[in-house]
Amino acid sequence: MNSRVALYGAVDDELTHYEVDVDNASLTRRATVKVPANVQYAWPHPSRQFLYVATSNRGAGLKADNNHLTAWRINPHTGALTPHGPVQTLPMRAVHICVSPCGDSGGYVLSGHNLPKSGVTVNRINADGTLGTAVEQPHELDCGPYPHQVRMTPSGRTTIVVDRGNAPHDGKPGDPGALRLFRFNNGVHEPLAVIAPDGGKHFGIRHLDFHPTKPWVYISLEIQSVLNMFRMTGDSLETQAAFTHDLLADRANIKPRQMAGTVHVHPSGKFVYFANRADGTVDYQGQKVFNGGENSIAVFAINPQTGEPTLLQHADTQNYHVRTFSFDPSGKIMVAASIHGMQVRSGNTVLTVPAAMSMFRVGDDGRLTFVRRYDVEHGERTQYWIGMVELPNP
């Protein structure tokens, strides 16, 4: 079995290690560790020796008053996780984190907050990979009404806060979205620019990803179920998208709670992938059943000269509401994870489909072929994050 790749999957406050066999496109479950609260997101150190995990007790009807950042050492032989250094307290729930792309030094962890207040926290990474305390910020940053991701440009000189804004709800008009850029220097942020086409009115962004070699950024618009591609000049973004494309296979059949999700550029840089997720329900014989929305991975080829994406495929995720998906470092396989189970009508029968991790092979042409799914029985708990990591050299 190929044991040089590990998959880590989070269900509430449990983080489970799976051994990955890339050649056979299979997973073998190993050990589970407990973290301080429910996992929100995780990010590996550039050296792949450590995994940093943001946790919070934030949930339906709960206050975000138990928020932490933890470091875990990755065993280079087995992929097992062990606690590494002190736990650092965060001021609010971190919905997303990333590590500064500083070669193998990985000098900072950035945490993006949206509840109960938006913001960014910066923690130093010590020389031994443990977490230091937060870097004091001289400026109060305007991160908008609802950040959903924090990323650093490949140079490490600029931070981009992906501010989704809010859709209209309960008679409220909603909030515009924006890409908010901040200059980053030794852990300190200064305001740089705000990118909000048409005032951000139809710019409900969720996530972005960078092309590995070209100055191109691919963005998913959660509220609109649309992709944008922006060009970069240095660490700056153009003010308008160079290319826009619908993410849905059938927009005429759109249902409530249809949303775009995570975006990942393939390691080769030849393709880009977007999650379409839906978990809306309708009443059927006193039960809430799936409303027929679209759960798929939209696959696009990337023009190597212009960066323009061209649709190749809508691959059924074989589960419901994929919040995260991940490629192995070679880009040969992809795993897509749903956050919870779903009651689904089949004729006059209602079936309960559990949350799952769906495994796909990735063809040379970028298209996905479904291989198998691993059901994750977790009751009322939530599978909130997964990620694959290449193990460090022993």
Side-chain angles (χ1 to χ4, degrees):
M1 179 178 287
N2 182 347
S3 60
R4 302 307 304 159
V5 178
L7 181 145
Y8 302 104
V11 175
D12 276 9
D13 61 350
E14 294 183 344
L15 191 59
T16 299
H17 163 222
Y18 297 82
E19 192 171 330
V20 181
D21 185 333
V22 174
D23 292 337
N24 291 312
S26 65
L27 303 176
T28 302
R29 182 170 178 154
R30 298 305 185 193
T32 297
V33 298
K34 280 271 194 177
V35 294
N38 295 346
V39 172
Q40 305 297 300
Y41 213 84
W43 197 279
H45 189 278
S47 70
R48 309 187 309 281
Q49 296 181 73
F50 313 106
L51 183 71
Y52 300 99
V53 182
T55 57
S56 175
N57 64 343
R58 175 67 191 180
L62 299 176
K63 294 181 178 179
D65 56 2
N66 183 23
N67 310 295
H68 297 92
L69 192 64
T70 55
W72 297 81
R73 180 180 288 278
I74 299 173
N75 185 301
H77 300 284
T78 66
L81 298 175
T82 53
H84 187 61
V87 176
Q88 296 295 334
T89 301
L90 292 173
M92 295 162 288
R93 175 229 191 179
V95 68
H96 191 271
I97 63 173
C98 70
V99 175
S100 58
C102 303
D104 282 348
S105 62
Y108 302 92
V109 177
L110 279 64
S111 302
H113 308 287
N114 57 17
L115 291 169
K117 181 182 177 182
S118 64
V120 175
T121 298
V122 180
N123 286 81
R124 294 188 188 277
I125 299 176
N126 299 321
D128 62 357
T130 58
L131 287 164
T133 57
V135 178
E136 185 176 351
Q137 301 292 317
H139 308 285
E140 184 173 353
L141 305 180
D142 180 4
C143 294
Y146 202 87
H148 217 294
Q149 188 190 37
V150 58
R151 290 292 304 268
M152 299 196 75
T153 58
S155 71
R157 294 189 296 263
T158 299
T159 296
I160 302 178
V161 172
V162 177
D163 170 23
R164 187 196 66 183
N166 291 296
H169 183 68
D170 292 338
K172 298 178 182 178
D175 301 303
L179 295 168
R180 300 179 183 273
L181 280 62
F182 301 91
R183 184 177 291 107
F184 185 84
N185 184 26
N186 293 323
V188 174
H189 282 119
E190 294 184 2
L192 187 60
V194 177
I195 308 298
D198 193 26
K201 296 176 184 177
H202 306 286
F203 201 53
I205 328 162
R206 182 179 178 89
H207 275 188
L208 65 78
D209 200 16
F210 299 97
H211 191 278
T213 59
K214 301 285 189 177
W216 303 330
V217 182
Y218 295 88
I219 294 168
S220 66
L221 274 61
E222 174 182 297
I223 298 172
Q224 289 78 28
S225 292
V226 166
L227 75 82
N228 282 174
M229 190 281 265
F230 280 76
R231 299 188 184 99
M232 297 184 70
T233 302
D235 280 344
S236 298
L237 288 174
E238 294 182 347
T239 58
Q240 299 289 331
F243 300 105
T244 298
H245 203 295
D246 198 335
L247 289 175
L248 297 175
D250 184 9
R251 183 165 290 273
N253 195 36
I254 196 167
K255 298 291 195 299
R257 286 196 56 79
Q258 182 72 61
M259 301 167 285
T262 302
V263 51
H264 289 297
V265 178
H266 190 267
S268 69
K270 295 180 179 180
F271 314 103
V272 60
Y273 301 76
F274 296 80
N276 288 310
R277 57 208 178 98
D279 63 2
T281 59
V282 294
D283 290 322
Y284 176 72
Q285 295 183 352
Q287 300 183 75
K288 297 289 187 181
V289 300
F290 182 55
N291 67 0
E294 185 173 335
N295 284 285
S296 67
I297 302 294
V299 184
F300 293 82
I302 295 175
N303 184 299
Q305 280 75 47
T306 66
E308 181 177 5
T310 299
L311 180 68
L312 295 176
Q313 179 191 25
H314 284 96
D316 190 331
T317 57
Q318 307 293 323
N319 53 30
Y320 297 89
H321 192 138
V322 165
R323 187 175 190 271
T324 52
F325 64 89
S326 181
F327 293 95
D328 81 286
S330 72
K332 294 179 180 179
I333 60 172
M334 189 195 81
V335 177
S338 55
I339 65 170
H340 51 61
M342 179 67 66
Q343 292 194 119
V344 181
R345 181 181 173 186
S346 177
N348 295 324
T349 304
V350 175
L351 306 174
T352 299
V353 179
M357 293 185 291
S358 297
M359 175 80 75
F360 297 85
R361 293 191 190 276
V362 183
D364 292 340
D365 61 357
R367 289 179 170 85
L368 301 175
T369 301
F370 175 71
V371 179
R372 58 177 61 88
R373 55 176 277 156
Y374 295 88
D375 290 347
V376 181
E377 299 285 356
H378 54 66
E380 297 300 316
R381 299 183 300 159
T382 302
Q383 182 174 237
Y384 219 56
W385 176 85
I386 64 157
M388 279 190 271
V389 179
E390 183 179 11
L391 298 187
N393 295 323

